[in-house]
Amino acid sequence: MSPKPASPALRRRSSRSLPATFLAVLLLLLAAAATWIGITRITTGAWPPFLAALRQYLASLAWNNPAVWAAAIILTLIGLILLLTAILPGKHNTARIKGPEGADEHFAETAMSRRGVARLAAAHVDQTDGVDASSVKATAKKVDIHVRTPLHEPGNLQEQLTGSLTRKLQDVGLNPVPKVSVRVRTTT
Amino acid sequence: MRQTAGRLNRTWLAVIGLVTLVLGIAGILLASGTAGTLAQSSGAGIQAPQPADPALPEGVRDVFAPDIAAVILAVLAVLVGVLALLWLLAQIPRRNQARALRLHGNDGATGYTTCEPKVLTKAVEEETGALSGVTGATALLRGSAAEPELTIDVRVDDRADVQEILEKIHTRVASNLETALETPLRKVAVLFNVTSHRQNDREVVL
């Protein structure tokens, strides 16, 4: 079997960078605070004064105190959310494009960024006759477009746009071709 | 195109999530009194705290009284802080480009020929940038001289013919690189990005 390629795949699931950054910063701040508390105790010989008040408050709490209930429920929810964030795959970060004829899957990989698909769709829609303004949201599997038109009777503008855009995405070679959904609104 | 820390993030998110979940569930069990019922029915002989008991154990103050407790706390905190910082730094996407490629000469007596990937990638970028419809390109060469892998990030304008550009990249640009390296490429990955400005916006060749 050939060894694993050194390059990462272009088409990956979300790397969960945002929650990881948030957690890392939080841990860093907590660690800094704890280090400061520890060093204060070592240098001055006494724990910082606010800790005594905190300990007295905590000592007065029984297990069935509402504050403990709230803390326990919040911890459970946060733990569940983090676990789901780690396990669920998340969206693809790019859309696959079919490669040149006769090229092996492992040899040639082609993709387009989600923003690229959105821009392509937006440009195509904006150039269509009868379209005033458009807003596009694109993922690897779906393209949602909202169109504003000055025409009184949009007629079959919606079918026309859906058809032509699907053809354009097929020509670009997106595989699978994203499902195009167009919504038309008249401005007059 | 660059490498991200996907697996590292998911592993640690799962670990921290699991720990938090267990703490939360334990808190709910203790607060509702179910922990006591569970401990009794399991017959393990563990005495669980009752809901009316204080949440903080009696001996907490004594644990933190000696000096060594502060030292341990500080050391642990610094350790966690350093790990958190490393985790934060791992979020930066890495290029992971190959080092200098050794093209000829496994035997030192006849001399070596080395080539920096930058030289080759610049040529690839210029050749790709000259294709019709392409506004710019960034190339990365990974792997070794015997098994090179090329990744190109191509920026095209919104009216470009994507399949034609892809065809030209594979037949012209990639094969020119293979000629320069004298080895077939192991992988060619092309990532398309769409920009709103056009190629040759400022100059016209008459």
Side-chain angles (χ1 to χ4, degrees):
Chain A
M1 200 165 89
S2 60
K4 220 159 73 86
S7 316
L10 284 181
R11 191 158 185 261
R12 303 187 288 272
R13 297 285 186 175
S14 165
S15 66
R16 302 300 191 203
S17 207
L18 209 56
T21 309
F22 186 69
L23 264 185
V25 168
L26 193 66
L27 284 175
L28 196 57
L29 290 176
L30 285 175
T35 314
W36 174 75
I37 291 175
I39 293 186
T40 311
R41 168 69 173 82
I42 294 173
T43 50
T44 64
W47 295 101
F50 67 85
L51 280 184
L54 185 66
R55 191 186 45 76
Q56 276 172 348
Y57 170 68
L58 285 178
S60 70
L61 291 177
W63 280 114
N64 56 5
N65 190 294
V68 178
W69 267 110
I73 291 177
I74 290 177
L75 278 180
T76 313
L77 284 175
I78 291 180
L80 212 56
I81 292 175
L82 287 179
L83 211 53
L84 284 176
T85 309
I87 295 176
L88 293 178
K91 294 197 210 143
H92 284 290
N93 64 341
T94 55
R96 184 173 48 216
I97 291 186
K98 81 168 159 3
E101 296 298 321
D104 179 15
E105 263 268 319
H106 293 288
F107 166 72
E109 193 190 355
T110 315
M112 180 178 280
S113 64
R114 286 194 346 229
R115 203 176 302 173
V117 176
R119 287 220 181 103
L120 217 58
H124 178 89
V125 164
D126 285 339
Q127 286 159 16
T128 307
D129 191 29
V131 170
D132 212 7
S134 66
S135 86
V136 180
K137 263 203 276 259
T139 66
K141 301 228 177 97
K142 244 164 43 100
V143 176
D144 282 327
I145 306 184
H146 287 254
V147 163
R148 284 215 310 271
T149 171
L151 301 173
H152 284 285
E153 299 275 317
N156 64 345
L157 184 62
Q158 186 186 16
E159 289 98 40
Q160 192 189 336
L161 276 175
T162 311
S164 69
L165 188 55
T166 310
R167 263 194 310 275
K168 164 101 187 173
L169 294 179
Q170 265 169 349
D171 285 339
V172 164
L174 287 171
N175 175 18
V177 181
K179 183 161 155 358
V180 175
S181 108
V182 178
R183 246 180 289 207
V184 178
R185 216 180 55 176
T186 53
T187 50
T188 44
Chain B
M1 184 159 90
R2 298 178 181 217
Q3 251 166 306
T4 53
R7 209 180 303 171
L8 177 75
N9 288 348
R10 283 168 188 268
T11 312
W12 283 106
L13 279 172
V15 165
I16 295 177
L18 206 58
V19 168
T20 317
L21 187 64
V22 164
L23 285 176
I25 292 182
I28 291 180
L29 286 178
L30 284 167
S32 63
T34 327
T37 341
L38 281 174
Q40 271 176 353
S41 58
S42 71
I46 313 169
Q47 185 74 326
Q50 294 305 305
D53 288 347
L56 215 56
E58 301 276 314
V60 164
R61 199 151 182 211
D62 298 330
V63 167
F64 283 99
D67 291 339
I68 195 80
V71 175
I72 295 178
L73 177 68
V75 166
L76 282 177
V78 166
L79 206 62
V80 169
V82 166
L83 288 175
L85 195 61
L86 287 175
W87 193 15
L88 205 55
L89 290 174
Q91 301 309 310
I92 304 174
R94 284 160 291 150
R95 293 163 78 232
N96 214 16
Q97 180 147 252
R99 308 237 195 303
L101 302 169
R102 182 173 302 167
L103 296 175
H104 278 291
N106 282 317
D107 179 9
T110 50
Y112 294 115
T113 309
T114 57
C115 178
E116 286 285 328
K118 238 187 305 191
V119 172
L120 296 165
T121 55
K122 192 148 188 293
V124 167
E125 286 165 13
E126 275 175 11
E127 198 179 348
T128 315
L131 294 175
S132 142
V134 176
T135 53
T138 315
L140 269 182
L141 202 58
R142 292 194 179 105
S144 64
E147 310 213 304
E149 297 178 15
L150 176 67
T151 308
I152 314 183
D153 183 347
V154 185
R155 295 179 286 284
V156 298
D157 66 42
D158 46 36
R159 275 193 270 179
D161 187 341
V162 169
Q163 284 293 316
E164 190 197 332
I165 294 175
L166 185 63
E167 187 71 40
K168 287 199 188 133
I169 289 179
H170 276 271
T171 50
R172 276 197 233 160
V173 179
S175 64
N176 283 346
L177 184 60
E178 284 178 345
T179 311
L181 284 174
E182 292 181 348
T183 0
L185 289 169
R186 189 142 164 262
K187 182 173 181 194
V188 176
V190 181
L191 178 64
F192 282 97
N193 271 301
V194 179
T195 58
S196 41
H197 55 264
R198 309 236 171 276
Q199 186 190 33
N200 294 334
D201 230 355
R202 279 175 248 153
E203 353 175 291
V204 176
V205 178
L206 294 167

